[in-house]
Amino acid sequence: MNKHLHSEASEQADSAEDVVLAEQIKLLFNGIPFSGITTLINGSILAVIQYPVVGIKSVLVWGLVLFLVTAWRSWLSFRYYRDSQSHSLAYWHRHFLVGVILAGLVWGASAIWLFPSNDTAHQVFVAFVLAGMTAGAMTSLAYRMEMFAGYSIPALLPLIINLFLQESLITTAMGTMVALYMAMIQVGARRLKINYQQNIQLRLESDSRERARRESEERYRSVFEHSPLGIMHFNNQAGIVGCNPRFAESLGSEQKDLIGRNIYALVEDENILAAVRASLEGENSYFEGEYRAVLSGKLIHVKAYFSPVRDELGEVIGGVVLADDTTERELVRNELQTTQLTLSRILNTIPVRVFWKDQNGVYLGCNQLFAVDAGFDSSQDVIGKTDRDLSWDATLLAYREMDQEIVDNGQSLINFVEYREYADGMQRWFEISKVPLKNSEEQIVGILAAYQDITNRKLAEQRMQLAMHKLEEANEAKSDFLSSMSHELRTPLNAILGFAQILEIEPLSERQKTYTGHILDGGSHLLDLINQLLDLSRIESGKLEISIEQVSLQAVINESLSMVMPQADKAGLQIINEVDAETEVFVMADFTRLKQVIINLLSNAVKYNREKGWIKLNARVSENGKVRLTVSDNGIGIDDKDQEQLFEAFVRVVADKSMVDGAGIGLSISKYLVEMMGGVIGVDSERNVGSSFWVELKHVDEGELRKLEDTQQSIRTLKTIDSDTRLELIYIEDNLSNLSLVKMIIDNYPNIELRTATSPIEGLTLLSKSTPDLILLDINLPGMDGFEVYSRLRAMPHLMSVPVIAVSANAMADDIRRGMEVGFTDYMTKPLDIGKFVKLLEDRVLLKQAETQA
Ligand code: ADP
């Protein structure tokens, strides 16, 4: 380290020496032209004076050598001037030294070659010339000692030696004097050299000082020019001496407009003028505020520092002002203040409590409502406090953990309801939202929360819920009443209808027949009504269940028509079925419920028709995957205004009330059923022209149908059950497509006999007369569900141990569990798993086989 420092120091010293050396070499080369000229003049004079005594030959040889040396030195100096940088200092130094030594030697040679051995006057002349030359050389070579010595010693030494060799008193004395002279001019040259060196150093120093001064001035000027502060200086008369661009710019003027003007003419503000005067009296002063520049009229906000400027004697000669133009900052500050004010007004106006805390739960701010809640007069009182300092009860402190979580995880808590019960029994609810409070770098620095007292809303909600509950209860009671009443009514009605039917076949008088007809008509209408009421109560209590399957539209229509045909015939109406009988159309529906809807529409078309009217049935597959079935008539029609409410329960069109039987329930039930099947029902009608009621249901497209075909295909390839044991099977199912599927399966097995029923009553009648080996029972049956059928058949002694398998579209675990609990042997879901079904049949056959063999 030390070594390093040392070497660095010496390097610097070297470079300082080099600067001096370079300067010396430059001065040395500067001297060459002059010394060349003196050399040639003195050489010529010497040659002319000496040739008579030493002969022309010596003079010519010497003159030639002198000329060559002088020429070489001139050439050297020419090279130096052209490009001194082309070689190192050492090179120029070395070559210059060789040059002077050569010149010195040539001059020294003159004391041998041009020196007459016996002519004292000529000898003295040579000595004189040499002394003159060396004395003259002092001025141009004494910059460096080795140069001067390199010149003067070779020039004088031959003369001294030659003089001593003469061995006369006078020559010896002369030799001694020349030797002394040589020594003395060395000393003189040395002094001169020291002098020169000091001079050079001084000049170099003053050069670098000047450079530093200029640089510093430049720096100051740049600061002055580019300073973001306005700077202006003025003389002791308050005349503007100078200012920087920023100063002029902030006044809305240009520098040239200001310089030379007087401050008193440019400023009207008394405070500023006072500050100027104070600075001219030798004091520092300060101004802050708004003022209007007289020249430009610009209004600026400024902070200005005034200071006196003094001369060397301490006399005030003027002043300087540093002005910070804060107009824009002031604007931003004002805006910020306005925003803050608006914000705090908003916070204090909204009917919500707002507060924000830092990470440690210290309140940073809140609105007035919150402050009051916390037991203070103003929000300022809350700032800096924590929940422990506020008058919360202990339960609230628990929410601090929640706050901590928000700070830690950054997750917001929105509309969280908080319930509080106070010591005096008062209940209150609050709805709180808390979000993380973030700084501009998106770092979480606390939480921001807002809450609302929602006690009134909560109480209203509670009252509402209570009312709803009561309403539901009342509704349920009504539905229960309706359903039990319907059941109760049906039993005596069955008796009435049964006996009236028996009466009908007895031999009766015409009048008795008419009466019986009335009893049957009235009774069946009543039965219809009771069934509808039962449906309605089921619908209202949400107990009505349907199972949606692939249903053949033609099959439903045919069954419906067969039910309505007798009525239509009786009324003398024509039914036209335009539905293509050839290509079957399948829809997603509940078979029985769809039939119910179509029967309702058809019988309405019968009821509200005209004499000799017609009824048309039409089906169209639309592109959006729907099938639209339309039942139209040319009957009495419905006014536009009545059409909308037709589908509401108990709505009948006023004019018809007296004419036709009806309760106004049919359409509302139809609407409900269609919607449960995912469909839409509607009407287009015109008074006295006719009505078209339509039902739209999801079409079963070919892809789905193909599945059915695949099923059929797979049925065909079923293996036969290898046994002769006969098996008798009864299947109660309202959906014809399911029935036909099972039929198809059974067809593969000649030893299994299948009998079917499409309604619960039909099924029970069939079962009352037979004991099958296996009963398949659909759960979703019209009029009576599978569970009821099950309990009725189990009540028949001969059926007590016959296995019953439930088949249902309700595939929910709950339904299956319920089925198994009731006592069904097995529960199969639709669509039927054929493999499972066949396996079941096989098991039954094998079981029976084993039983009979035993
Ligand atoms: P109901 O037929 O038992 O009165 P609905 O709900 O089936 O009850 O029908 C409601 C009302 O809609 C009927 O009272 C009748 O005024 C009107 N309506 C239904 N179908 C037709 C139709 N095809 N033509 C004219 N009016 C009809």
Side-chain angles (χ1 to χ4, degrees):
M1 181 81 184
N2 259 340
K3 195 178 157 199
H4 174 73
L5 268 182
H6 172 78
S7 75
E8 203 171 78
S10 70
E11 216 169 78
Q12 265 178 7
D14 280 357
S15 70
E17 264 168 34
D18 278 354
V19 173
V20 176
L21 177 65
E23 193 62 27
Q24 287 168 334
I25 287 176
K26 195 172 121 195
L27 291 169
L28 286 171
F29 274 100
N30 277 349
I32 285 186
F34 176 71
S35 72
I37 290 167
T38 35
T39 299
L40 289 182
I41 294 171
N42 282 338
S44 305
I45 294 171
L46 190 64
V48 170
I49 300 296
Q50 295 301 93
Y51 97 88
V53 284
V54 294
I56 190 75
K57 209 171 135 200
S58 304
V59 168
L60 280 180
V61 172
W62 179 83
L64 185 68
V65 174
L66 182 71
F67 178 77
L68 284 176
V69 169
T70 309
W72 182 72
R73 287 190 68 207
S74 301
W75 179 70
L76 193 68
S77 85
F78 172 72
R79 275 176 57 213
Y80 175 84
Y81 279 115
R82 213 177 41 189
D83 186 9
S84 64
Q85 300 299 318
S86 61
H87 292 94
S88 65
L89 279 178
Y91 172 91
W92 295 120
H93 178 266
R94 201 165 55 241
H95 282 71
F96 193 90
L97 184 60
V98 171
V100 287
I101 291 174
L102 284 178
L105 282 174
V106 177
W107 279 108
S110 72
I112 297 164
W113 290 339
L114 307 186
F115 203 71
S117 48
N118 44 14
D119 187 334
T120 311
H122 280 272
Q123 284 179 355
V124 171
F125 178 69
V126 169
F128 197 81
V129 169
L130 287 179
M133 282 303 292
T134 48
M138 196 144 59
T139 54
S140 58
L141 293 182
Y143 299 114
R144 288 198 67 89
M145 272 314 289
E146 70 276 19
M147 298 298 174
F148 182 69
Y151 178 77
S152 58
I153 294 172
L156 292 177
L157 208 55
L159 176 67
I160 296 168
I161 295 169
N162 212 353
L163 285 173
F164 276 117
L165 288 179
Q166 301 295 314
E167 287 179 355
S168 72
L169 188 65
I170 182 90
T171 55
T172 307
M174 262 169 72
T176 310
M177 277 175 65
V178 174
L180 266 175
Y181 168 76
M182 192 179 76
M184 266 163 58
I185 57 168
Q186 296 307 320
V187 175
R190 211 186 114 71
R191 284 217 189 99
L192 204 59
K193 180 228 141 185
I194 290 169
N195 218 343
Y196 280 152
Q197 198 161 349
Q198 273 171 354
N199 259 347
I200 288 170
Q201 263 162 352
L202 274 178
R203 210 185 57 231
L204 288 176
E205 269 167 35
S206 102
D207 275 359
S208 81
R209 258 203 309 278
E210 175 64 12
R211 212 176 309 118
R213 194 187 59 78
R214 252 187 273 122
E215 275 170 13
S216 134
E217 204 164 73
E218 185 53 38
R219 263 198 302 278
Y220 277 115
R221 207 186 55 78
S222 158
V223 169
F224 182 76
E225 288 292 314
H226 302 114
S227 161
L229 288 181
I231 305 170
M232 184 266 276
H233 49 110
F234 46 91
N235 59 24
N236 56 4
Q237 301 301 311
I240 297 176
V241 178
C243 72
N244 68 352
R246 174 73 190 132
F247 185 86
E249 181 201 346
S250 75
L251 283 187
S253 299
E254 282 181 33
Q255 277 164 294
K256 65 176 171 33
D257 299 332
L258 299 175
I259 294 166
R261 304 284 293 258
N262 197 288
I263 295 177
Y264 292 107
L266 294 178
V267 177
E268 284 167 350
D269 190 291
E270 248 324 299
N271 293 321
I272 296 178
L273 294 179
V276 172
R277 274 195 294 273
S279 64
L280 289 180
E281 275 157 25
E283 279 167 33
N284 288 326
S285 57
Y286 173 70
F287 168 83
E288 179 176 1
E290 221 170 41
Y291 100 96
R292 194 172 290 284
V294 172
L295 277 187
S296 63
K298 189 178 165 194
L299 192 70
I300 65 168
H301 194 281
V302 73
K303 281 183 186 172
Y305 303 84
F306 294 83
S307 307
V309 175
R310 298 169 193 275
D311 63 10
E312 304 90 83
L313 302 175
E315 284 295 315
V316 175
I317 53 162
V320 63
V321 55
L322 294 184
D324 187 8
D325 183 343
T326 53
T327 314
E328 262 168 45
R329 259 172 286 159
E330 209 52 29
L331 230 83
V332 173
R333 208 172 62 130
N334 281 345
E335 254 169 48
L336 209 68
Q337 255 176 0
T338 318
T339 315
Q340 266 172 353
L341 208 69
T342 317
L343 206 66
S344 85
R345 286 217 181 102
I346 292 173
L347 277 181
N348 286 328
T349 318
I350 51 167
V352 177
R353 280 81 168 157
V354 182
F355 64 86
W356 52 105
K357 301 177 188 179
D358 70 9
Q359 284 139 307
N360 306 319
V362 177
Y363 282 93
L364 299 172
C366 67
N367 69 351
Q368 185 64 21
L369 273 184
F370 177 82
V372 173
D373 257 15
F376 292 96
D377 293 336
S378 113
S379 48
Q380 286 303 318
D381 300 335
V382 180
I383 295 170
K385 298 206 166 55
T386 68
D387 282 315
R388 286 185 199 290
D389 306 323
L390 306 187
S391 57
W392 305 134
D393 52 295
T395 54
L396 255 190
L397 297 179
Y399 295 116
R400 280 178 39 120
E401 275 176 32
M402 202 157 75
D403 296 356
Q404 198 53 50
E405 234 176 81
I406 293 171
V407 168
D408 292 345
N409 305 331
Q411 258 157 9
S412 306
L413 205 78
I414 304 293
N415 292 348
F416 164 86
V417 176
E418 184 183 298
Y419 168 73
R420 271 192 270 162
E421 219 175 282
Y422 292 86
D424 57 2
M426 191 172 67
Q427 297 177 311
R428 279 177 86 182
W429 283 266
F430 299 95
E431 195 173 70
I432 301 193
S433 294
K434 290 181 175 180
V435 295
L437 188 68
K438 291 178 179 174
N439 63 11
S440 51
E441 266 102 60
E442 288 293 303
Q443 291 158 330
I444 298 174
V445 294
I447 63 153
L448 168 65
Y451 68 90
Q452 230 176 329
D453 189 335
I454 54 161
T455 308
N456 287 341
R457 194 170 90 198
K458 269 281 161 194
L459 290 176
E461 258 171 36
Q462 278 184 349
R463 281 195 294 272
M464 182 96 145
Q465 265 168 7
L466 206 69
M468 283 291 286
H469 188 64
K470 278 191 182 146
L471 213 67
E472 268 165 27
E473 270 181 359
N475 207 23
E476 224 163 272
K478 188 195 79 184
S479 294
D480 284 351
F481 171 75
L482 265 179
S483 109
S484 61
M485 269 308 282
S486 313
H487 279 297
E488 293 306 312
L489 285 174
R490 261 209 316 216
T491 324
L493 199 57
N494 276 336
I496 294 172
L497 284 174
F499 285 112
Q501 274 165 334
I502 296 170
L503 257 187
E504 228 186 358
I505 41 178
E506 297 284 311
L508 293 178
S509 70
E510 270 313 302
R511 190 189 282 190
Q512 283 169 326
K513 270 201 177 136
T514 319
Y515 292 162
T516 321
H518 283 318
I519 296 175
L520 276 174
D521 273 0
S524 64
H525 176 59
L526 200 59
L527 189 63
D528 252 15
L529 202 66
I530 291 168
N531 280 340
Q532 281 189 343
L533 277 176
L534 205 62
D535 273 349
L536 196 68
S537 75
R538 282 216 197 100
I539 287 171
E540 285 192 344
S541 58
K543 281 182 191 148
L544 189 100
E545 282 176 8
I546 60 163
S547 68
I548 297 174
E549 305 159 64
Q550 294 181 346
V551 170
S552 154
L553 201 60
Q554 277 84 351
V556 204
I557 290 175
N558 288 341
E559 284 210 10
S560 311
L561 279 176
S562 69
M563 303 288 291
V564 186
M565 220 43 132
Q567 278 180 52
D569 286 346
K570 218 160 138 191
L573 300 171
Q574 193 195 355
I575 297 190
I576 308 155
N577 182 5
E578 291 180 344
V579 180
D580 186 2
E582 298 297 309
T583 41
E584 261 194 318
V585 174
F586 283 87
V587 291
M588 290 308 289
D590 177 308
F591 186 89
T592 306
R593 293 305 181 180
L594 181 56
K595 192 167 91 185
Q596 188 180 346
V597 171
I598 298 173
I599 289 174
N600 182 248
L601 295 182
L602 283 170
S603 59
N604 275 352
V606 172
K607 282 197 292 183
Y608 306 105
N609 216 308
R610 64 179 75 206
E611 235 178 85
K612 292 201 175 136
W614 49 254
I615 299 164
K616 263 186 216 160
L617 268 156
N618 174 291
R620 213 178 63 233
V621 181
S622 64
E623 273 178 8
N624 57 355
K626 296 272 156 63
V627 174
R628 182 184 270 229
L629 172 69
T630 313
V631 178
S632 42
D633 61 62
N634 63 339
I636 59 172
I638 310 155
D639 270 341
D640 275 359
K641 64 174 170 47
D642 297 324
Q643 286 176 15
E644 245 176 56
Q645 8 158 10
L646 284 185
F647 297 96
E648 282 167 32
F650 304 109
V651 169
R652 307 198 69 208
V653 176
V654 188
D656 308 317
K657 270 185 189 161
S658 50
M659 289 157 52
V660 194
D661 289 336
I665 310 176
L667 282 181
S668 69
I669 293 177
S670 297
K671 180 173 158 68
Y672 185 82
L673 292 176
V674 170
E675 280 169 5
M676 271 185 98
M677 293 184 247
V680 192
I681 189 169
V683 63
D684 303 308
S685 179
E686 201 177 315
R687 188 89 188 141
N688 294 326
V689 176
S691 314
S692 287
F693 282 85
W694 49 262
V695 171
E696 241 177 33
L697 291 165
K698 185 182 177 310
H699 181 219
V700 180
D701 65 27
E702 282 183 21
E704 287 164 293
L705 270 180
R706 209 170 295 129
K707 264 188 239 153
L708 194 74
E709 276 170 19
D710 290 350
T711 322
Q712 290 168 347
Q713 187 64 37
S714 60
I715 290 168
R716 268 177 228 121
T717 59
L718 277 180
K719 60 169 182 141
T720 47
I721 299 171
D722 190 17
S723 172
D724 297 333
T725 314
R726 291 195 62 73
L727 201 71
E728 200 183 310
L729 191 73
I730 287 183
Y731 183 17
I732 307 173
E733 165 69 83
D734 63 334
N735 190 327
L736 298 182
S737 58
N738 271 318
L739 272 183
S740 55
L741 173 68
V742 171
K743 269 185 195 147
M744 258 190 280
I745 299 172
I746 302 292
D747 278 351
N748 284 280
Y749 309 107
N751 54 328
I752 303 178
E753 186 198 339
L754 172 72
R755 281 188 292 163
T756 58
T758 53
S759 76
I761 300 296
E762 195 190 330
L764 286 171
T765 318
L766 186 64
L767 284 170
S768 66
K769 289 176 276 181
S770 47
T771 315
D773 297 303
L774 182 65
I775 299 170
L776 295 177
L777 180 54
D778 179 25
I779 296 298
N780 239 282
L781 286 168
M784 187 190 296
D785 69 11
F787 293 104
E788 201 179 332
V789 177
Y790 180 82
S791 64
R792 289 206 190 183
L793 72 87
R794 276 280 184 255
M796 300 183 204
H798 68 288
L799 294 177
M800 261 174 11
S801 56
V802 178
V804 183
I805 289 165
V807 183
S808 170
N810 290 339
M812 308 295 277
D814 257 6
D815 299 309
I816 296 176
R817 188 166 7 91
R818 185 174 159 217
M820 300 311 282
E821 268 168 20
V822 169
F824 284 105
T825 315
D826 208 339
Y827 193 105
M828 308 214 1
T829 55
K830 295 179 193 173
L832 219 51
D833 178 342
I834 298 168
K836 191 179 164 194
F837 181 58
V838 170
K839 176 88 178 49
L840 192 135
L841 293 176
E842 212 168 30
D843 288 350
R844 280 291 135 197
V845 171
L846 293 176
L847 203 73
K848 192 170 174 196
Q849 200 174 351
E851 274 169 13
T852 44
Q853 275 167 10

